[in-house]
Amino acid sequence: MSEEEQKIEKACAVWHTWFEDEANDYSEREDSDVEYFIGVLMYNHFAFSKAIPTMKTMDLGADFIQATDASYAEVNSLIGSIKSKDELVLLALLQGHIQRSLEKYSSDPSACYLLNRLNNHIKSLAGIYAGEITVKNVDFERMAAPKTR
């Protein structure tokens, strides 16, 4: 595991430990929320230059930030310390984090709702970097439509 991946895992562990104390809980919390919000922090810190203009940053959620209280500074510092001049390296780190998280919670698909939403957005971002998608061709209605089997 790389040093950067270790920082990501440590950030997740800080918040999982923090939320073991029921006094730090918030409404409708899922354990997988930690990995989702770590992914959102990564996305925001990495400031991808090719991100869709309306999605340069993502909202962490006020109730989540309030619930993290003093632990937020430590986690934000860990994620903020992950740096690279190569955005594709940062994208790969984020994609790896999301994949590990989806595997971790695969036994409960409903717990992966936010992770899947983030994963779909990051897949589009990866497609933009790969030249497979142009921003003007992103179909937001298709992305928002529920999948039919």
Side-chain angles (χ1 to χ4, degrees), residues 24 35 43 77-78 85 92 111 123:
N24 299 328
E35 282 77 10
Y43 177 84
S77 177
L78 281 165
K85 292 183 184 207
K123 282 181 181 177

Side-chain angles (χ1 to χ4, degrees), residues 36-85:
Y36 168 75
F37 285 115
I38 293 292
V40 169
L41 270 178
M42 291 169 66
Y43 177 84
N44 290 342
H45 275 290
F46 296 164
F48 294 107
S49 64
K50 293 189 178 189
I52 298 167
T54 58
M55 293 288 291
K56 289 287 185 184
T57 60
M58 291 184 201
D59 182 18
L60 281 178
D63 61 338
F64 184 84
I65 290 175
Q66 287 174 338
T68 61
D69 196 32
S71 70
Y72 182 83
E74 180 180 1
V75 169
N76 194 43
S77 177
L78 281 165
I79 298 303
S81 71
I82 300 171
K83 304 212 184 297
S84 176
K85 292 183 184 207

Side-chain angles (χ1 to χ4, degrees), residues 110-127:
S110 65
C112 294
Y113 169 76
L114 290 174
L115 286 168
N116 279 321
R117 196 169 82 177
L118 179 61
N119 189 37
N120 288 334
H121 177 70
I122 300 307
K123 282 181 181 177
S124 292
L125 180 62

